[in-house]
Amino acid sequence: MLKTRPPLLYAACVGLVALVGSTAVAPTATAGPGLAETAVTARATAIPTPEQHFGFKMGAEGKLAGYPDVLRYMKLVAERSDRVDYETIGRTTMGNEYATVLISAPKNLRRLDRLVEINQKLSDPRNTSPEQARRLAEEGVPFYHLEATIHSSEVGNGQAINDIVHRLATEDSDFTRNVLNNSVIVLVPSQNPDGQHLIIDHFNKTAGTNYRRTYPDLYQKYTGHDDNRDWTMFTQIEAQYRLALEKKYRPAIVHIMHQKGNTGSRIFVPPYGGITSENVPANMSSSVSAIGQHAARSLAAAGKTGVGSLDYHIFWTLEQPVGFFPFTGSGVYLTEIASVTDYAYPQVSSDGRPLGPQQARMSLIEPYRSNTWTLADIVDYAKIATYAGMEYTADNGRELLYDNLYAVPHEYMTKGVPAGSYAFVVDADQRDPYATFEMLQRLEWTQVEIERATSEFVADGKRYGAGSYVIKMRQPRGNWAHQVLGTDKYPEVRDCTECPVLLPYAEATTSLPLQLGVDVAEIRAPFQASLERVTSVKLPQVTMPPAPGDRGAYLVRPESYGTIQIVSALQDANIPTFRAAKGFSAPGGSYPAGTYVVPATPQARNVLATASAKVGLQVTAVARAPRVAGVQLKPQTRVGLFRGIGNMPGGWDMWQFDQYGVNYDVVAAQDFQRKSLNELYDTIVLSHGISKDDIVEGLDPKEYAEEYSWAYGVGDKGWRKLQQFVRNGGTLLAIGSSVATVQELLNLPIKPALPDDEDQFVTGGSLLHQEFDPDNPVAWGMPESWPVWLYDTQAWELTGAGGTVVSNYPAEGEVLASGYLRGAEHIRGAVNTASFTVGKGQAVTYGSEITFRTLPRAQFNLLYNAIYHGPAAEVDATGLQQLRTRFGSDGALAAR
């Protein structure tokens, strides 16, 4: 059956998700709840096999079914089968269709709303007693969320699902009857449809050419391979859709299908390795370990070898595929299958030896003995592992519904989190109200219960004002709230004395308050407070002040990263914008260095009113502009982003610039054909990960067609033009590892401060304390101290004159704020952010990746201050106070 869900249903789940539906199609005639032989025969005849539909067998060498064809097949099956429903959920980042396929016995699909209702009741133990929950578990069936191809280069699983759907839709066997009658499959054909288009369309388009078959760029517009690491801020629409599906269906098991490199085991199944967070329920690990071992037995019975386990460290933080699921009672069943060459061609060992490790051990009972691995192998392994997961779920429905969906939130309602915390308190008085809103909004999206104080109260000896927020830990999502609000002390665990520390993929902490810049306190002892439930998190209400006189000005404080959106709006409207170089006093209070000063014109008022309301930041007005020196931002500052092809940090930077309305273009190889880059850009930002080779050599024109020419190399001549761009007056900003590139380009007086040896220094992705100079224009609006994110990048030491320290790690005291750190002595006092005058221009270096996945937002102002300050013009105190004489009544620039 083809249908769509009402858009508001999903919008209500996520908040900002806008969904696009299609016209519902009437269901075809069904054969009724029984599986009579004649009905099965007719069904099998009416539904073509994948081979008949696509023209080749799934897993055929060099053949990949395109995503639009996959969806057409799913729709066809739904039209002709009473076991299958097809739903269009919405549109993706690039406008493609995001769909789900529901598969179950007709009797279950007819009572789907009741089954969903049962899951919802089980997941909220406040309204369901244990006795009621057991009866509901008897009545309901578990939902099995099956997610294929979030990493779009892992193409095999997206082929296998066609065979899986065909089997479940047509076969009459003990297996299918059991799965269909005793579970509901919620299949997401692709968590990243855009990437399926990009990867497979490129593969098919380059067939028979001399170009490389592998797609060179990000296969999600912004996040690329990081698209399964968006589980705290839910920045991408696809992550929001997934969250909405979880909240609606409450699956007992979530099967996430992945592929991995081609050198290890042929498939990984649970149990997992590494360590786990105390916030992850213990029975989440045990239930999926049981599924994994059931899959291992099924693979062995089918003669499939090379089955590995005790790997994949996924339960400490929320990266990789885990996200919100296990915190709600959904067991995460991850399969990782070895990949092949260029997506669809056999992998053959160069020396004729078998592929993968050959020593039998408990984590690899039977090694893989062949020297060849094919796409057909991937498809076979994927199907067997999936059928095993479905079978286990159908066989253990009552236990999964009660022990997972109900018992997990019930434990936190009755016992609280293992850490023994009572609540987190968010002080009403915050430096950044917009950051506070964004943090609370994400808690609301994940159904964390938030309360607000109606009067003052005292907790842990501190007095909090009315309007402060309280998040208690005894609630169904208490473990999730503790995971994202608390700070972490990642343990130093090794498999052996000489073994390295077991580190997570990239994040040893997920502390939202520290990343966003919100003052939050963890309170362990109970306290008394008059509280009201927050039914909807909203931006602070702001109103424009009365318009000042002709000599007046509007003021915007610089502390919030939300001011970036206000400045972008002023830039787009060509409104003159100034910044005070020092702190000053004005009626109503004092203002720090970096405060924005805007002439009080009608046009400026309109822009400020709209922009400030979007971020909940109050604009104030003064009768006369402050008498203080400052700078005037260059109107419509031209920003270039050198992101590099296939570079995920650059993709995240694009998302950030797009979200904040920055007027930017991606720097292209064609730009270097100009006489000077200064003709195009005032500021150029080098994303983390840009090397000299990325700039000089770039993408090989022999391997990729002209549509990718923007990423071709610019040669040594282009390298010198980038150097000259700065000397001519341009501003060049380098993030993370790109600092080394700019150091080489401009011969900056800095050298690395950290050792390369991980036995001496390692963070695992952590938040480290940082000291800022708020009087430096790059750090305007920053506090004197706040943690910064450090992962796999460098700290620096100034070696000569010409550089100014903007921020550094503390020379004394605690360095680690949250996460893990070994070798703190190597980073004490080291420089993180520094600015340099180079000729007529400026370079700013950020040793830490201040835009990491757009998470450490408290650091964003460091980047945007420099973007706009470099091209700005200095204005003395008299000039800033005489704004009205320099600009017309419409706020436009006067002739000079």
Side-chain angles (χ1 to χ4, degrees), residues 288-305:
V288 295
S289 294
I291 290 179
Q293 292 310 288
H294 184 65
R297 289 194 298 271
S298 297
L299 287 158
K304 305 299 184 183
T305 58

Side-chain angles (χ1 to χ4, degrees), residues 253-488:
I253 296 296
V254 177
H255 180 184
I256 302 176
M257 307 171 78
H258 274 275
Q259 288 175 229
K260 55 178 182 169
N262 53 38
T263 59
S265 64
R266 298 299 89 188
I267 185 174
F268 163 82
V269 295
Y272 302 110
I275 62 174
T276 183
S277 167
E278 62 184 356
N279 292 314
V280 176
N283 58 345
M284 294 299 92
S285 298
S286 59
S287 62
V288 295
S289 294
I291 290 179
Q293 292 310 288
H294 184 65
R297 289 194 298 271
S298 297
L299 287 158
K304 305 299 184 183
T305 58
V307 180
S309 60
L310 297 175
D311 200 351
Y312 287 90
H313 183 163
I314 69 171
F315 275 151
W316 174 257
T317 56
L318 315 178
E319 58 191 356
Q320 302 278 17
V322 178
F324 185 51
F325 284 125
F327 296 85
T328 68
S330 296
V332 177
Y333 169 39
L334 170 68
T335 54
E336 293 266 3
I337 305 175
S339 296
V340 292
T341 303
D342 289 352
Y343 308 145
Y345 292 95
Q347 187 77 25
V348 182
S349 63
S350 59
D351 57 7
R353 296 179 181 178
L355 293 165
Q358 295 301 299
Q359 176 59 57
R361 53 192 302 177
M362 292 306 296
S363 59
L364 183 72
I365 300 296
E366 187 175 7
Y368 185 72
R369 300 304 190 187
S370 173
N371 71 337
T372 303
W373 181 250
T374 68
L375 179 61
D377 291 326
I378 295 173
V379 170
D380 284 346
Y381 276 60
K383 290 190 294 186
I384 294 168
T386 301
Y387 295 144
M390 292 177 177
E391 183 177 58
Y392 181 92
T393 303
D395 287 344
N396 296 275
R398 284 174 296 180
E399 292 79 9
L400 291 172
L401 288 175
Y402 185 85
D403 295 339
N404 285 16
L405 287 192
Y406 180 75
V408 166
H410 184 264
E411 178 179 0
Y412 298 113
M413 281 294 300
T414 55
K415 299 179 182 178
V417 297
S421 296
Y422 177 73
F424 285 87
V425 177
V426 184
D427 199 323
D429 184 18
Q430 296 285 338
R431 291 184 73 255
D432 191 344
Y434 183 61
T436 306
F437 162 75
E438 288 210 302
M439 185 189 76
L440 294 174
Q441 181 192 55
R442 268 48 177 200
L443 294 177
E444 180 183 51
W445 285 4
T446 49
Q447 297 180 310
V448 172
E449 296 171 1
I450 304 168
E451 296 177 287
R452 184 192 296 112
T454 58
S455 60
E456 286 189 348
F457 66 96
V458 175
D460 198 21
K462 179 180 177 180
R463 184 170 298 278
Y464 293 91
S468 296
Y469 295 93
V470 176
I471 298 95
K472 294 180 180 177
M473 294 296 95
R474 286 200 175 189
Q475 59 166 295
R477 301 293 166 257
N479 58 332
W480 171 262
H482 192 270
Q483 180 74 27
V484 297
L485 291 177
T487 56
D488 298 290

Side-chain angles (χ1 to χ4, degrees), residues 689-806:
I690 302 301
S691 66
K692 181 177 180 179
D693 279 350
D694 292 324
I695 299 170
V696 175
E697 302 296 333
L699 206 63
D700 188 346
K702 296 178 181 178
E703 295 185 343
Y704 290 98
E706 189 175 351
E707 63 184 294
Y708 306 107
S709 61
W710 64 271
Y712 290 170
V714 300
D716 290 331
K717 184 177 180 181
W719 176 256
R720 291 191 295 271
K721 280 191 176 181
L722 184 59
Q723 182 186 77
Q724 198 60 40
F725 164 77
V726 184
R727 297 191 181 281
N728 288 345
T731 298
L732 184 62
L733 313 180
I735 302 173
S737 63
S738 295
V739 172
T741 305
V742 171
Q743 192 278 334
E744 180 180 2
L745 176 77
L746 302 174
N747 194 28
L748 299 178
I750 54 173
K751 68 177 183 179
L754 301 178
D756 294 331
D757 188 347
E758 286 196 355
D759 284 338
Q760 298 182 52
F761 183 87
V762 64
T763 65
S766 300
L767 289 157
L768 308 184
H769 289 294
Q770 189 91 161
E771 297 172 351
F772 301 94
D773 177 6
D775 291 326
N776 187 294
V778 177
W780 279 343
M782 295 297 294
E784 292 185 354
S785 177
W786 194 264
V788 300
W789 177 262
L790 186 68
Y791 169 64
D792 200 27
T793 58
Q794 186 60 260
W796 295 86
E797 177 185 339
L798 267 62
T799 59
T804 302
V805 176
V806 178

